[in-house]
Amino acid sequence: INFKAWLKTGPDLAIMIIVVVLDCLLKISSTESKLPVKVNKDYEIKLHGLGNVATVACGSPVGYMQLKFNVINYGILGNTKDR
């Protein structure tokens, strides 16, 4: 492993973390506005972060939440209790 090259990616990593956190916050806010649910933002951000840490540790890229699947699920089931 070329650690000098890895250390040079620090600024890119910082920007990526900011983008992923902002994306997570925006998706949570959109979910609350589109669906009749109250989301525990602190818990969801921690959970999303832990999931990203696990996937990155295995060599995969970070994940992004997708609002459309939440809305489709709510449209099909008609409630927020079932999964």
Side-chain angles (χ1 to χ4, degrees):
I1 297 175
N2 186 347
F3 287 104
K4 287 182 183 179
W6 183 74
L7 290 174
K8 288 183 181 181
T9 64
D12 294 331
L13 179 63
I15 292 171
M16 182 192 69
I17 290 171
I18 292 169
V19 168
V20 170
V21 170
L22 285 175
D23 178 66
C24 183
L25 286 170
L26 291 172
K27 293 298 193 277
I28 290 172
S29 296
S30 298
T31 299
E32 285 185 329
S33 68
K34 299 236 183 237
L35 302 176
V37 295
K38 181 69 178 147
V39 179
N40 183 351
K41 291 179 182 70
D42 290 335
Y43 172 75
E44 291 295 329
I45 290 173
K46 287 178 187 175
L47 186 65
H48 189 68
L50 287 173
N52 279 334
V53 167
T55 58
V56 168
C58 294
S60 298
V62 296
Y64 294 96
M65 298 190 306
Q66 294 189 0
L67 177 63
K68 65 182 176 183
F69 293 121
N70 292 343
V71 175
I72 289 171
N73 188 35
Y74 177 72
I76 292 171
L77 295 175
N79 66 41
T80 58
K81 302 288 184 222
D82 296 326
R83 297 185 187 255

